[in-house]
Amino acid sequence: MHVPDGFIDAPTSAVTGVIAAGALAVSLRGARRELDEKTAPLAGLVAAFIFAVQMLNFPVAAGTSGHLLGGALAAILVGPYTGVLCVSVVLLMQGVLFADGGLTALGVNITDMALVTTVVSYAVFRGLLAVLPRGRRSVTVASFVAALVSVPAAACAFTLIYAIGGTTDVSIGKVATAMIGVHVLIGIGEAVITALTVGAVIAVRPDLVHGARGLRQRLRLRVDGELVDAPAAPVSPAAVPASRRKVWVTGLVASLVLAGFVSFYASASPDGLEKVAHDKGIDTRAKEHASAGSPLADYGVKDVSDARLSGGLAGVIGVGVTVVAGSAVFWAVRRRRGTDVSPVSHGL
């Protein structure tokens, strides 16, 4: 759903740019309360993982593909404010280095793909946890539904933005029907990826999942007819950072493998927005990307003739740049956090 230059007129792009800037400012403040010594490194990794998985387009209908948006995944793993920043870092790297998503449309893309998906998904996620039984399985189920809803919500947001500032005279009703229809299907893929990833992290380190905080219940024992909390099992101080490093290294290796190898087998069909834009004539006024001359444009390395090697190298470089840029941002935010501010158990 990366909107290219030329789809949205300049005034509307400027307004969404202001909205995006405001959302980032609020998210930077909110992320100070979400990030701690455990989650700051994880946030940079989440951004890199989203970048990698977004390279894996999966078929959803005849001649159409989809890919992860990542707002729900980021919000549930590291918190909604930090989640907005994660997706925004990915969009910035994609736009500047890979000519994916217009630079004049960066505000549109951040508003749609980072802000809307994160706010909607986290609201749905928290609402479901309020009524589901307390437990890890509920977190996974809520993750699935939240991610599923977030994608058509983003499609609705794009349709609204296009209705206000679209550069072609196209029936908005037809655009809405086509966008929401195909993105409901893409949402299923988003939901599966999100639930599997959240479930995998919960299985090994539930304390690292922001959305699972506060759900763990202490074991209770009956003593002299009364229920009392069982003493917590002792944990070796050295085991905690070692476990975090293992999760981080595993996630980074998985991201590199996905972007550097598995991405070669991704669907070559146009994604949902590209397909709708072509079928409905939205793309008639699309402009060439300002970064079209980038050595990494279109997820390939310039002057590398082998398609597999070119795409793989571009993916590995993208993961590396994103994890470094993301980690730098989140460590800087973490350092500015006051000593009197404690981590929040949920945002928004």
Side-chain angles (χ1 to χ4, degrees):
M1 203 180 293
H2 294 75
V3 179
D5 295 319
F7 275 28
I8 308 298
D9 62 26
T12 307
S13 295
V15 171
T16 57
V18 172
I19 295 173
L24 291 176
V26 172
S27 296
L28 284 169
R29 292 181 62 86
R32 295 179 194 174
R33 301 192 300 271
E34 292 175 343
L35 294 171
D36 55 28
E37 68 281 356
K38 295 187 298 183
T39 55
L42 181 63
L45 177 62
V46 168
F49 183 77
I50 290 173
F51 175 91
V53 180
Q54 283 196 1
M55 295 183 66
L56 308 180
N57 281 47
F58 48 85
V60 295
T64 310
S65 69
H67 63 70
L68 182 82
L69 297 185
L73 177 62
I76 294 165
L77 287 180
V78 292
Y81 295 108
T82 308
V84 171
L85 298 178
C86 281
V87 181
S88 298
V89 167
V90 173
L91 292 172
L92 182 60
M93 295 299 102
Q94 291 170 332
V96 173
L97 298 179
F98 297 91
D100 189 11
L103 296 184
T104 62
L106 186 59
V108 175
N109 286 320
I110 290 177
T111 300
D112 192 23
M113 295 178 63
L115 180 59
V116 171
T117 58
T118 301
V119 171
V120 171
S121 64
Y122 202 70
V124 172
F125 177 79
R126 279 294 165 191
L128 288 173
L129 287 188
V131 298
L132 291 174
R134 297 170 63 87
R136 298 179 184 179
R137 182 173 298 178
S138 295
V139 174
T140 304
V141 171
S143 300
F144 182 94
V145 177
L148 175 62
V149 173
S150 71
V151 179
C156 291
F158 168 79
T159 303
L160 177 60
I161 293 171
Y162 195 82
I164 296 171
T167 55
T168 56
D169 185 14
V170 179
S171 169
I172 298 303
K174 293 181 179 179
V175 173
T177 300
M179 282 292 293
I180 296 171
V182 72
H183 284 91
V184 166
L185 299 177
I186 294 173
I188 296 173
E190 177 105 9
V192 171
I193 295 170
T194 300
L196 288 176
T197 305
V198 171
V201 179
I202 285 181
V204 293
R205 285 296 301 271
D207 59 305
L208 294 181
V209 178
H210 184 275
R213 291 180 180 178
L215 291 181
R216 291 181 297 168
Q217 293 179 310
R218 291 283 298 273
L219 177 65
R220 309 200 76 189
L221 302 177
R222 187 173 297 277
V223 178
D224 296 331
E226 297 183 359
L227 288 174
V228 298
D229 289 336
V235 179
S236 169
V240 175
S243 177
R244 288 202 300 265
R245 284 194 297 269
K246 183 177 180 180
V247 171
W248 197 91
V249 171
T250 301
L252 181 60
V253 170
S255 299
L256 291 171
V257 170
L258 291 173
F261 177 72
V262 180
S263 62
F264 181 77
Y265 301 97
S267 173
S269 299
D271 65 25
L273 176 58
E274 291 174 325
K275 179 67 172 175
V276 172
H278 177 73
D279 291 347
K280 304 302 178 183
I282 295 176
D283 59 355
T284 56
R285 300 191 64 179
K287 299 179 181 179
E288 183 180 23
H289 200 286
S291 298
S294 167
L296 297 173
D298 298 322
Y299 297 95
V301 177
K302 188 177 181 180
D303 297 329
V304 176
S305 57
D306 184 271
R308 184 191 296 267
L309 179 60
S310 177
L313 286 175
V316 169
I317 293 171
V319 168
V321 171
T322 303
V323 76
V324 170
S327 297
V329 169
F330 298 124
W331 274 115
V333 173
R334 170 73 181 98
R335 286 173 63 87
R336 293 192 62 182
R337 173 181 169 182
T339 57
D340 59 333
V341 178
S342 60
V344 294
S345 59
H346 52 82
L348 293 187

